[in-house]
Amino acid sequence: GGGPVDRMMRAVAAFANALKWEEPAPEPEGQEAEGGEGGDADSINEKAIQGQSNPRLSSLLHATFGIDHYPRYLLRWDVSAIEDLEAKLEAQLALLRQQKSQLQGRLAASEQLTPLLPPAPLASLLDPRFRAAIGPGGQLRLGVLQGLLEEVCEGVYSFPLLSPEACAALAESSRAVERLGEASGDADRPCVLDTIQLGWLNDLLLAEVLQPLAALLYPDEVRGHPLDWRHSFIVTYRARASPG
C-alpha cells in the first residue's frame, strides 16, 4: 500500500537495515552453521529465514558502499580494520575469478550442443491460447490472460506461454545440458538459457512478454521505462516436496 514516496522510504529503510552490522548469534551446540560445513553463509539466499542478516556480508556491503560514496572513507578506520577488509575483498576477488573461469569453461563446452530451438519469431513459438491474449497493437489483454491462470499450489500461478513443441525442445535442451555436465564432471551445471545458445529467446520474452506484462501489473514501478536485464533458466518445481 501507499504511494511511490512511501514505497521508496520503506525500500530505503530496508536497505539501511540490511547494511547494519549485527554480531552473529552463537550456534547451539552440535548444530552446523548455516551454509553447511565450514560455516560461513555469505550468499544472500542463505540468510536465515527469520530475516537476520549475515554479519560478514553486511560488513562487506557497508564498506563497499562507503568507499564508493566517500573519497576518504577509510581514513577514519584503523589499519587492522582495513587489513581485515582487504583480506575479505581479496577472498571475494578470488571467488569471482574462480566462477568466471568456470563460466568460460561452460560456455566453451556449450558450443558442442546442437541448438534444438533455432531463432524464430516469438509468435511462432507461443501457445495459441497465449497468442489470443495479445491485442492487435502487441498489448496484452489482461482479462484474457487472467482466464488462462491456473493456481498450481497456494500463491503459485502458471499460464500457457510457449507451444508444446517449443516446450519439448526446451526440455530436451535441458536434458542435453545435464548429459554434458555429467560427461564433463560438472554435474551441478545449471541450464541457463544464455549459456546454451538460447539468449535470443531471453531477449524476445523480455521485450514482447515481460515488458508489457510489467507495464500492466506494476505501472508505478516501471513508469514507461523498459526493463533492461533478464536471467532465465530451466528448472523443475513440485507443488509438494518429495519425502526424503
Side-chain angles (χ1 to χ4, degrees):
V5 174
D6 292 331
R7 289 197 295 272
M8 181 185 71
M9 293 304 293
R10 286 198 297 271
V12 169
F15 181 67
N17 185 60
L19 293 180
K20 182 175 62 178
W21 173 271
E22 295 178 11
E23 289 296 332
E27 292 288 343
E29 287 188 20
Q31 180 175 321
E32 275 189 3
E34 189 178 358
E37 287 188 38
D40 260 341
D42 294 328
S43 164
I44 290 176
N45 292 330
E46 293 174 355
K47 290 197 301 186
I49 293 174
Q50 291 85 352
Q52 297 173 353
S53 61
N54 178 273
R56 185 171 181 271
L57 176 63
S58 295
S59 66
L60 285 174
L61 287 173
H62 190 282
T64 304
F65 183 89
I67 293 170
D68 184 65
H69 283 68
Y70 305 103
R72 294 189 292 271
Y73 176 72
L74 293 180
L75 295 183
R76 71 187 71 177
W77 289 32
D78 60 55
V79 173
S80 63
I82 293 177
E83 289 174 342
D84 180 61
L85 173 62
E86 184 179 20
K88 290 176 180 177
L89 291 175
E90 285 176 348
Q92 293 299 97
L93 182 59
L95 183 62
L96 179 150
R97 287 172 173 157
Q98 174 191 342
Q99 294 185 11
K100 174 187 173 184
S101 176
Q102 187 178 13
L103 177 60
Q104 288 173 327
R106 286 177 171 176
L107 290 171
S110 292
E111 293 178 1
Q112 306 171 28
L113 296 173
T114 301
L116 299 174
L117 196 62
L122 184 61
S124 66
L125 304 174
L126 294 177
D127 186 287
R129 292 166 292 176
F130 185 83
R131 201 180 305 137
I134 303 175
Q139 75 281 7
L140 287 177
R141 296 167 169 160
L142 196 54
V144 177
L145 185 58
Q146 285 176 326
L148 299 177
L149 292 179
E150 176 188 353
E151 189 169 15
V152 180
C153 57
E154 185 178 357
V156 178
Y157 296 85
S158 69
F159 59 86
L161 175 62
L162 299 177
S163 68
E165 295 77 15
C167 289
L170 285 175
E172 181 53 36
S173 295
S174 178
R175 288 189 285 269
V177 169
E178 184 178 0
R179 291 192 293 268
L180 180 63
E182 291 171 351
S184 63
D186 189 11
D188 64 342
R189 176 191 180 98
C191 191
V192 178
L193 297 194
D194 277 313
T195 66
I196 60 169
Q197 306 178 45
L198 288 173
W200 62 270
L201 182 59
N202 268 343
D203 294 332
L204 284 179
L205 291 174
L206 178 69
E208 300 187 32
V209 176
L210 295 179
Q211 178 62 46
L213 191 58
L216 278 173
L217 300 178
Y218 306 104
D220 291 340
E221 287 79 1
V222 176
R223 294 179 185 166
H225 298 292
L227 302 177
D228 58 7
W229 195 82
R230 78 287 182 283
H231 175 67
S232 349
F233 51 91
I234 300 174
V235 67
T236 299
Y237 290 106
R238 294 183 178 87
R240 296 178 183 275
S242 300

